[in-house]
Amino acid sequence: MAVYALTGFSLVSLLSFGYLSWDWTKPNQVENEPVSDFAHKSSRIRPKPVQPHIIFILTDDQGFHDIGYHNSDIRTPTLDKLAAEGVKLENYYIQPICTPSRSQLITGRYQIHTGLQHSIIRSRQPNCLPLDQVTLPQKLQEAGYTTHMVGKWHLGFYKKECLPTRRGFDTYFGSLTGSVDYYTYESCDGPGMCGYDLHDGETVAWGQRGKYSTQLYTQRVRKILASHDPRQPIFIFLSFQAVHTPLQSPKEYIYQYREMGNVARRKYAAMVSVVDEAVRNVTYALRKYGYYHNSIIIFSTDNGGQPFSGGSNWPLRGRKGTYWEGGIRGLGFVHSPLLRRRRRVSKALVHITDWYPTLVTLAGGNISQSEGLDGYNVWPAISEGKESPRLEILHNIDPLYNRAKHGSWQDGFRIWNTAVQASIRVGDWKLLTGDPGYGDWIPPQMLANFPGSWWNLERRTDIQKSVWLFNITGDPFERYDLSDQRPDVVKQLLARLAYYNRTAIPVRYPAKDPRANPEFNGGAWGPWVGDEEEDNWAGVYHKNIKTKKYSSAAGDKVI
């Protein structure tokens, strides 16, 4: 897809919006200008366009407990204020790891419908978001939006056609891999397999070492807002690498958490505080340059927190990488002057796939030709408090994950092989099969040093089970397994899994390609396969799980 130029980018617009007077080297620009200037600057706002400006902010590995309004020990005054004045999404679901959440956000489709249902896309894998998928930014471009992405991509880059600038973004600035150093931008995919990973468009952005990524990305967003004409609709996807490991933060942010005994938690908290300040600066820039009154700000995390690296999902069960609520129930809120009912908590069921049809519809785009979407337009539920059109969520079916040794067709009433890792929610009910991942309840680690052996304890190390059922509305902490008491519900949810599996496409999870070594690319990560080279998927696709028919219809309602 062609890369479009910035709308309204000219010397006149640069001068009129104050671009040349802005000090881009300072991370916290808000404190350099009094808040009282908002009213004066807002008076120069041009007539609002019909289409709203959309700012989607995604954090990485931020746990359910790691925000102020969930009674956390981490201070997030900006996020708390934005959420309090908007709509908090308290029945909002994401995926348990990075690539799946990003793929579902940008396609509006479940993992089973993009072939990315197993693990993440690794740096040396010749794999990326399928090229036949029409992405969210592409749909917004069709609707007349200028689209920008800043931050972590993690949707594959082995070919140039996989890059963000070829998937609907007019500009891109960020890292392509899953994890980089916050200062050096070095990324490693195993011992001795390291390279530089910071890109501006389709070129390597050398010379940025020493600049903390959260602040660098925020400066780029402010720069975009300063140079764009607010009469034209804009979409910005700000995808922070924070608060993913490595645990790194400017020292001045750590000081406020000096009383925390646990060092990992202290560093993690400081990283969240930098994100909070970054969101404050972005919001300020939206006001300063005349976007705010016609803007929609969406905040989301991509998966649950990692408790052993400072995060916390308390009081939810599990952690990042699991299908317990601690891995998939996300932080999320919407802040916008365009909301009809603000300052409230929404319990409407929302999934990360829903942003695709919701935002395209808000933008005036057309989703009627987007067949196969798994998302729903949830704006009436968020903005007006109406019922969510979503009744169920397929959390995932992963046929390649380690099979549960106690699972079988017999345990699944010959509807489903319960050795397979899968999870689904229908109404109030949630079903898990196979190995759902580490399933403990982990309180915030406030002590300086837990015994090393404590972390290796799994309270049920040899679980003689492969099926769990919870009334997740009444028991959000997943403490009461009802699978034995309600076999009728188990059967109906297993039938839904079998139904979804019949729609799944084969898994794409190729072996690592030695040609991806950064040494062959000037020391940086980047595309290594020519666009003209045909993909060899031999041995990559895997057959779907065999399913058996159940006497009840696949679409039976679960009550």
Side-chain angles (χ1 to χ4, degrees):
M1 176 168 288
V3 179
Y4 302 108
L6 282 172
T7 305
F9 188 93
S10 67
L11 179 60
V12 173
S13 63
L14 294 181
L15 292 172
S16 62
F17 293 117
Y19 171 82
L20 297 181
S21 64
W22 192 283
D23 187 351
W24 300 109
T25 64
K26 295 184 178 180
N28 188 9
Q29 187 66 35
V30 170
E31 295 181 358
N32 297 337
E33 203 164 346
V35 177
S36 59
D37 281 358
F38 281 167
H40 172 69
K41 294 181 184 299
S42 297
S43 66
R44 300 199 302 267
I45 297 175
R46 296 170 181 176
K48 295 187 295 185
V50 175
Q51 297 163 295
H53 305 299
I54 301 169
I55 314 298
F56 198 106
I57 301 171
L58 188 71
T59 57
D60 197 339
D61 288 8
Q62 186 175 359
F64 187 80
H65 191 65
D66 298 330
I67 198 164
Y69 64 78
H70 280 170
N71 299 315
S72 173
D73 53 323
I74 296 177
R75 292 180 284 277
T76 55
T78 299
L79 298 176
D80 295 349
K81 187 173 187 297
L82 291 175
E85 294 176 352
V87 176
K88 298 175 184 175
L89 305 178
E90 293 296 292
N91 200 8
Y92 172 52
Y93 285 87
I94 48 181
Q95 296 307 110
I97 49 178
C98 301
T99 296
S101 280
R102 286 164 169 74
S103 69
Q104 296 196 25
L105 166 65
I106 208 169
T107 67
R109 288 170 168 79
Y110 291 142
Q111 295 163 250
I112 64 167
H113 296 147
T114 60
L116 300 176
Q117 55 266 58
H118 179 66
S119 192
I120 59 174
I121 296 177
R122 303 189 182 278
S123 301
R124 286 181 282 168
Q125 283 184 311
N127 195 13
C128 73
L129 189 74
L131 299 176
D132 60 351
Q133 293 289 329
V134 178
T135 67
L136 171 60
Q138 286 172 332
K139 296 298 292 185
L140 294 177
Q141 282 181 333
E142 291 176 6
Y145 277 68
T146 301
T147 59
H148 304 273
M149 180 175 176
V150 178
K152 175 177 172 177
W153 175 238
H154 206 188
L155 287 174
F157 58 89
Y158 77 107
K159 286 185 175 183
K160 284 188 176 180
E161 291 302 310
C162 301
L163 296 175
T165 47
R166 308 291 180 99
R167 305 312 304 271
F169 290 103
D170 293 324
T171 71
Y172 172 69
F173 182 73
S175 297
L176 300 173
T177 63
S179 175
V180 303
D181 186 282
Y182 284 75
Y183 290 99
T184 67
Y185 301 98
E186 288 290 315
S187 176
C188 297
D189 188 32
M193 191 64 63
C194 301
Y196 186 80
D197 183 18
L198 186 64
H199 298 259
D200 195 344
E202 298 184 5
T203 62
V204 180
W206 300 104
Q208 301 294 333
R209 294 179 188 271
K211 300 175 182 177
Y212 189 68
S213 75
T214 303
Q215 296 171 343
L216 185 63
Y217 292 160
T218 306
Q219 291 167 9
R220 176 55 66 101
V221 171
R222 295 195 325 231
K223 187 175 181 180
I224 290 169
L225 292 171
S227 61
H228 183 77
D229 184 345
R231 294 175 299 180
Q232 302 297 325
I234 190 171
F235 170 60
I236 297 178
F237 178 27
L238 175 53
S239 176
F240 288 117
Q241 74 172 92
V243 287
H244 195 289
T245 54
L247 299 180
Q248 297 173 308
S249 168
K251 292 182 179 179
E252 59 267 27
Y253 295 88
I254 300 176
Y255 183 76
Q256 63 179 311
Y257 298 107
R258 61 192 179 279
E259 300 301 324
M260 281 188 177
N262 185 273
V263 175
R265 183 70 174 166
R266 187 189 312 159
K267 292 180 178 178
Y268 180 95
M271 295 168 72
V272 177
S273 288
V274 183
V275 168
D276 187 77
E277 181 181 87
V279 174
R280 182 185 180 205
N281 288 331
V282 169
T283 307
Y284 176 84
L286 289 171
R287 293 179 181 271
K288 176 182 175 72
Y289 296 116
Y291 298 88
Y292 176 76
H293 292 288
N294 190 44
S295 67
I296 297 171
I297 302 170
I298 300 166
F299 181 87
S300 171
T301 184
D302 70 337
N303 49 248
Q306 175 53 277
F308 304 148
S309 298
S312 176
N313 304 303
W314 184 260
L316 302 179
R317 184 175 185 178
R319 65 188 187 192
K320 171 186 178 178
T322 76
Y323 288 93
W324 303 109
E325 292 293 284
I328 59 175
R329 184 171 288 211
L331 290 176
F333 66 79
V334 177
H335 177 94
S336 173
L338 305 178
L339 291 165
R340 292 191 177 181
R341 291 183 56 197
R342 291 183 280 171
R343 298 178 177 86
R344 64 185 184 87
V345 173
S346 171
K347 293 298 182 70
L349 188 61
V350 178
H351 186 246
I352 195 166
T353 54
D354 297 332
W355 296 120
Y356 185 110
T358 299
L359 297 182
V360 172
T361 301
L362 283 170
N366 185 357
I367 60 170
S368 62
Q369 297 180 344
S370 300
E371 297 181 0
L373 288 180
D374 294 305
Y376 296 84
N377 177 11
V378 292
W379 187 249
I382 294 173
S383 178
E384 303 171 42
K386 295 184 177 180
E387 292 292 322
S388 173
R390 176 174 288 283
L391 301 177
E392 65 183 32
I393 297 171
L394 176 69
H395 294 307
N396 196 26
I397 300 169
D398 186 348
L400 299 190
Y401 194 77
N402 296 332
R403 298 293 177 99
K405 61 182 179 181
H406 298 291
S408 66
W409 281 102
Q410 183 176 355
D411 288 342
F413 302 96
R414 301 195 178 280
I415 303 170
W416 182 259
N417 183 353
T418 64
V420 175
Q421 186 192 63
S423 182
I424 190 170
R425 174 170 172 173
V426 180
D428 294 331
W429 296 102
K430 177 184 176 182
L431 181 80
L432 302 100
T433 70
D435 179 3
Y438 185 95
D440 213 339
W441 294 267
I442 308 171
Q445 299 114 57
M446 301 308 298
L447 300 181
N449 292 294
F450 279 109
S453 60
W454 191 92
W455 298 119
N456 298 323
L457 292 177
E458 170 66 298
R459 292 174 185 171
R460 285 162 297 279
T461 55
D462 186 25
I463 302 174
Q464 306 289 318
K465 281 181 64 64
S466 61
V467 178
W468 293 262
L469 177 71
F470 300 97
N471 183 322
I472 212 66
T473 301
D475 177 26
F477 310 142
E478 298 171 297
R479 293 187 178 274
Y480 306 104
D481 176 19
L482 302 176
S483 58
D484 291 337
Q485 292 95 313
R486 296 299 305 269
D488 57 324
V489 177
V490 171
K491 288 180 181 179
Q492 292 186 63
L493 267 64
L494 291 175
R496 291 303 290 163
L497 283 178
Y499 162 78
Y500 276 113
N501 189 62
R502 288 193 290 270
T503 72
I505 69 172
V507 180
R508 295 165 53 119
Y509 195 73
K512 294 180 180 180
D513 189 339
R515 296 178 296 170
N517 191 331
E519 289 185 4
F520 305 145
N521 192 34
W525 292 101
W528 68 89
V529 174
D531 290 334
E532 70 286 350
E533 184 176 332
E534 293 187 6
D535 291 316
N536 180 12
W537 292 106
V540 174
Y541 290 113
H542 300 263
K543 293 182 179 180
N544 295 333
I545 312 159
K546 293 181 180 179
T547 57
K548 295 185 178 182
K549 292 184 178 180
Y550 176 49
S551 58
S552 176
D556 281 356
K557 184 178 180 182
V558 176
I559 57 175

